[in-house]
């Protein structure tokens, strides 16, 4: 591929992402946003669209990845409570709150991301798997049962797109109440770590080391 072709591909990809984001934001039913509509809105041919994104599911995943990138960066290198070095329990609350706000700001895209496609499920979605694994790590840091495979799913279940949409659009629950209720769920389901474990985990974090297995309950 020549430099001009690469530039065209980058420009077309950006146009497609912008067009798809616009269509999902304004869609009454996200499931009815088609690749034909995206191509027309972006001003590209269907062949160009499918060279950039092999399927509608891949396009939706790329849009979601743009939304989660800010959260990923904050988790990896941002300040506490979401970034490294803070209280693990507060980090769980901040992480879930960031995901909830993303859902609130992009309701139709998040609904599209939860649609099954060719036999895949939400739980096979790369963004979901990332959030699940990260929550598991944070819960272990907080002194929760490291072998409880259901707890991360339970916490993520509170911010499922369908549920969030029903509460906000159907029942008109204010977004700030949802955020406060989510923080309350974390406080209920994630008890404070035993003092000794909390001290050792904080020391490991400060030293830039992962907590030892012996520090995980």
């Amino acid at each position: 591929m020549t430099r001009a072709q690469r530039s065209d591909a980058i420009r077309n990809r950006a146009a497609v992402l912008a067009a798809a984001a616009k269509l999902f934001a304004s869609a009454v039913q996200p499931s009815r946003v088609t690749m034909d509509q995206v191509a027309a809105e972006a001003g590209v041919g269907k062949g160009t669209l499918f060279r950039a994104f092999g399927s509608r599911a891949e396009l939706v995943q790329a849009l979601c990845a743009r939304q989660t990138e800010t959260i990923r960066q904050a988790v990896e290198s941002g300040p506490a409570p979401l970034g490294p070095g803070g209280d693990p329990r507060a980090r769980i609350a901040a992480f879930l709150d960031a995901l909830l706000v993303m859902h609130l700001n992009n309701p139709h895209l998040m609904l599209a991301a939860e649609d099954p496609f060719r036999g895949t499920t939400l739980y096979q979605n790369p963004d979901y798997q990332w959030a699940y694994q990260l929550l598991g790590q944070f819960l272990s840091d907080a002194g929760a049962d490291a072998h409880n495979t259901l707890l991360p799913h339970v916490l993520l279940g509170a911010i499922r797109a369908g549920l969030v949409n029903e509460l906000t659009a159907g029942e008109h629950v204010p977004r700030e109440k949802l955020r406060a209720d989510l923080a309350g769920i974390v406080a209920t389901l994630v008890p404070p770590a035993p003092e000794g474990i909390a001290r050792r985990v904080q020391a490991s974090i400060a030293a830039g080391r992962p907590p030892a297995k012996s520090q995980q309950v």
Side-chain angles (χ1 to χ4, degrees):
M1 182 182 290
T2 67
R3 180 177 298 178
Q5 288 172 324
R6 285 196 297 270
S7 296
D8 285 345
I10 292 171
R11 186 164 52 249
N12 288 334
R13 180 182 175 87
V16 167
L17 288 171
K22 178 181 177 181
L23 288 170
F24 278 114
S26 60
V28 176
Q29 291 183 291
S31 61
R32 294 189 176 179
V33 175
T34 67
M35 295 294 266
D36 285 338
Q37 292 173 328
V38 173
E41 181 69 29
V44 302
K46 285 187 66 175
T48 298
L49 172 57
F50 279 99
R51 278 193 295 274
F53 303 97
S55 67
R56 183 179 183 275
E58 286 184 23
L59 175 57
V60 170
Q61 178 57 41
L63 288 169
C64 291
R66 292 205 310 179
Q67 297 297 327
T68 58
E69 181 59 29
T70 301
I71 301 175
R72 290 174 185 266
Q73 291 177 0
V75 167
E76 292 172 5
S77 57
L82 187 50
D87 173 67
R89 197 163 176 247
R91 200 176 191 191
I92 293 168
F95 180 58
L96 288 169
D97 182 69
L99 293 175
L100 174 58
V101 169
M102 180 182 72
H103 279 68
L104 291 168
N105 290 343
N106 305 275
H108 295 162
L109 175 60
M110 296 300 111
L111 284 170
E114 289 191 0
D115 281 344
F117 182 80
R118 291 183 181 173
T120 63
T121 69
L122 168 68
Y123 308 106
Q124 295 167 316
N125 181 297
D127 285 329
Y128 187 93
Q129 293 178 343
W130 164 73
Y132 176 86
Q133 292 169 3
L134 205 57
L135 264 181
Q137 174 190 321
F138 293 166
L139 287 164
S140 180
D141 291 345
D145 182 358
H147 303 290
N148 188 329
T149 58
L150 281 177
L151 186 52
H153 287 303
V154 169
L155 292 171
L156 289 172
I159 57 170
R160 286 284 298 268
L163 174 61
V164 172
N165 186 67
E166 172 61 25
L167 292 173
T168 54
E171 300 181 19
H172 307 292
V173 177
R175 59 189 288 150
E176 292 309 317
K177 174 168 173 49
L178 282 182
R179 295 176 69 184
D181 288 349
L182 181 61
I185 289 174
V186 174
T188 300
L189 295 182
V190 187
E195 186 176 347
I197 290 177
R199 281 200 305 268
R200 292 195 296 273
V201 168
Q202 289 296 329
S204 295
I205 293 172
R209 303 188 307 269
K213 292 292 184 182
S214 62
Q215 295 171 4
Q216 301 173 3
V217 174

